[in-house]
Amino acid sequence: MVSMLATAQQTSPAMIALIKKSCENAVKKNYILALSYADEALKDFPTSIYAIDQRADVLYQMGKEVEAIAEFKRAASLCNECSTPYLILAHAKDRHGLHEEAYRDIGNLINKTPSDEMAAYLYYERGELKMHQANYDEAYIDYCKAHDLKPEYMFYLGRMILHEIHIPNDSALVKKAFGQI
């Protein structure tokens, strides 16, 4: 098994450029070219979780979920079951309209993480997904949970404040926060 440090060290400007080209082509829905760039990065760095995750993400976008999930699991095994591959998978599911499944996957990651710092980050990430789906009150709850775990990280407080400023006045949480309920 490759350690996280060894995996993290297996990057180069060339690999990053290949992954960037893969991402750009995936956005353009040119999946064959995106996959070829991801495969080229993987050929040069076979144990890089970044290259594996990119390949998995492209496969998922192509509708090859079974192959993609196998790749995400392979990446996770290389980083000692770190949350990064699973978080990328949750984002892929969200992009494909599987919002509740994505939220549930991140919730499972939160339950498995031993670190308050990582749990706070995962709450924030789930909040971001919910925010993009206009699920504002649920996003706010996740931002609050992130802030509760790491109050010294002002970024989480900032997300809460932005929610209170910009969310429609009929939000039950905003009304409650301002003593209107």
Side-chain angles (χ1 to χ4, degrees):
M1 183 174 286
V2 178
S3 74
M4 183 64 170
L5 179 60
T7 302
Q9 290 174 344
Q10 293 190 11
T11 61
S12 73
M15 186 191 76
I16 293 168
L18 289 168
I19 291 174
K20 184 178 178 188
K21 287 180 182 180
S22 177
C23 289
E24 289 168 355
N25 281 285
V27 167
K28 295 175 187 173
K29 299 185 187 302
N30 189 347
Y31 300 124
I32 301 301
L33 190 55
L35 190 60
S36 71
Y37 281 121
D39 285 343
E40 189 174 337
L42 195 53
K43 185 179 97 183
D44 294 339
F45 298 93
T47 58
S48 168
I49 64 167
Y50 311 111
I52 296 168
D53 280 342
Q54 179 59 29
R55 182 176 199 284
D57 194 35
V58 172
L59 287 168
Y60 198 89
Q61 291 180 57
M62 293 172 75
K64 298 181 178 188
E65 289 91 0
V66 173
E67 291 176 53
I69 290 170
E71 289 293 297
F72 282 121
K73 287 180 179 179
R74 182 167 71 112
S77 73
L78 289 172
C79 66
N80 198 22
E81 293 301 312
C82 67
S83 61
T84 302
Y86 297 113
L87 185 58
I88 293 169
L89 175 59
H91 279 275
K93 287 179 178 180
D94 185 68
R95 281 193 311 271
H96 283 80
L98 303 171
H99 310 298
E100 293 302 320
E101 194 172 323
Y103 303 157
R104 191 172 39 256
D105 288 354
I106 294 175
N108 290 337
L109 289 173
I110 291 167
N111 292 335
K112 291 190 319 189
T113 186
S115 149
D116 283 353
E117 184 170 5
M118 180 52 86
Y121 174 73
L122 292 169
Y123 276 121
Y124 160 77
E125 283 290 327
R126 189 171 69 182
E128 289 292 284
L129 293 182
K130 290 175 179 178
M131 195 68 137
H132 289 287
Q133 296 306 316
N135 191 349
Y136 301 122
D137 286 348
E138 291 296 317
Y140 182 71
I141 289 168
D142 279 344
Y143 296 147
C144 290
K145 288 177 180 177
H147 179 262
D148 287 347
L149 287 171
K150 295 304 283 182
E152 66 273 19
Y153 289 10
M154 299 308 290
F155 183 76
Y156 301 139
L157 178 61
R159 294 306 285 171
M160 292 165 56
I161 292 168
L162 284 172
H163 174 86
E164 291 170 2
I165 292 170
H166 295 289
I167 299 308
N169 290 331
D170 62 350
S171 165
L173 288 174
V174 172
K175 286 180 179 180
K176 186 175 180 182
F178 290 105
Q180 298 171 355
I181 292 181

